[in-house]
Amino acid sequence: MIKQSLVFNGITKPYLTVLSRKRSYWAPISRNLTYVIGRPGALLNHTKTDVRVEEVSVEISAESAQELRKIEEDLADWLIQEEEKELIFPDETDRTYYAYIDGSFNANEIVSKGYGTLKFICLDPYKYGAIKESQISTDSVVIDYKGTVEGKPVFRFNVEEPLTNIDVIREDDYFSIGEPADETDVVYPERTKMLEDELETTVGWGDSPMTPDNGVKAGTMVSNGDVFYAANYGNGSNWHGPILAKSLSEPIQDFWIRAYFDVDCRKSDQRARNEVYLLGENGAIIGKLAAAINNSGLNVDAGCHIRNVDKSRWVLSENGFTKSKFLGYVTLERRGTQFKAEYGYDAFVDGKHVKYPQKEVLFQDIENSYQQKVAAVAIFVSKWGTLASPYKSTVRSVYVHRLNNDAGIPYIVDEGDEVVLDFERELIEINGEPRTDLKDFGGNYFGLKKGNNTIVINPSGLTGTVKWRERFR
């Protein structure tokens, strides 16, 4: 007899053999009924789909009783996870469950073998087929969906010209972002890119007379072709390090500014503070984006600060949200009198830059205290006094966009942009940036029904892909 094991978290163990499985033929359901006096039977109020429980009888094989003791430790390390993991059974290799191990495993042991039952619970009660993908090259795509439960598609579009809207339409439902424009409407770009610097070189960046907060300018800033960092921090009793600045082509009123940081301290005597300053038309500091490790506890602080000659405030001040390192971004936006500040983490997933927003804060400048135009940005990379230099302290990129407020309908995407409409996560992304604010109020993140689903894409000429995964009861 061929021994069969299960796959959990992408791993199978040679010592585990599946003997039998007490399986659920479908995700358990319960009907909530309402009884009406004088009416026979009942009315269906709603249907509840409960968690799925899968029980598997297994044999654990070892060379000796002593080895069996080591196997039980390995079994626990393999199966006990803090997050749900993929689970594949040997009699159903084309279906995937998402499960936690539950309860204990009390094996009946005979010398070097153990017999018992593993109990898995699936908070998501459905099982999944393989991920499927179809190219979008015309104005419509037909998806032959074989699942028994609606599955949510993920659309990825490559934009070849400026657009004011994108629609994804099913026969009985639709999803839309932006606003369509007719021939008589005035259209304009929602944003104008003033600076998008990946900091591959210091060319174009120059000296700045500004004095950083609670610190001094010292040392030398360089680029390694990917990030700005301090070749040396110079000397100083407080925060000290190099500064480089860059002017915009013109001062801007409404803006969106983002800085990407990589700060990492490995020892308690290391300190790091990285800041991107916003400079006004007279060279004065009018705001900053910051990421720092200020104390021996290696707590990471991040935030956005705005100011004028007489007043200042932190729009976002997030202290001690993680330990020792921060690979992420800080964003500050001003549109009219409203400021929006945000921080988040970022990573490369499948070769693409993916952002994970953590917190967003709004501030209304009702007294018009912080309305100076932004004319330049400056980068300050620093350490504290005579303490050790940080393990890593870099600024990875700086983006500055002007927000346009013309009369008419704005372009929401431009040539070269990538748009992701993720109906599963209910997420809209443009170039990796969350833009759920663009969603049409009446549109829905609709699912795919069993059989042929004809999806119409508007406007015409959009190309890309649609991915989906079939779900089953």
Side-chain angles (χ1 to χ4, degrees), residues 51-71:
V51 301
R52 183 192 291 264
V53 178
E54 297 286 337
E55 295 183 355
V56 189
S57 296
V58 299
E59 176 189 272
I60 306 297
S61 300
E63 295 295 327
S64 64
Q66 289 77 13
E67 185 188 13
L68 193 59
R69 300 282 71 79
K70 303 304 180 186
I71 284 178

Side-chain angles (χ1 to χ4, degrees), residues 267-278:
K267 298 181 179 180
S268 61
D269 64 341
Q270 296 177 354
R271 301 289 186 277
R273 194 177 87 182
N274 291 358
E275 297 169 318
V276 173
Y277 285 89
L278 285 59

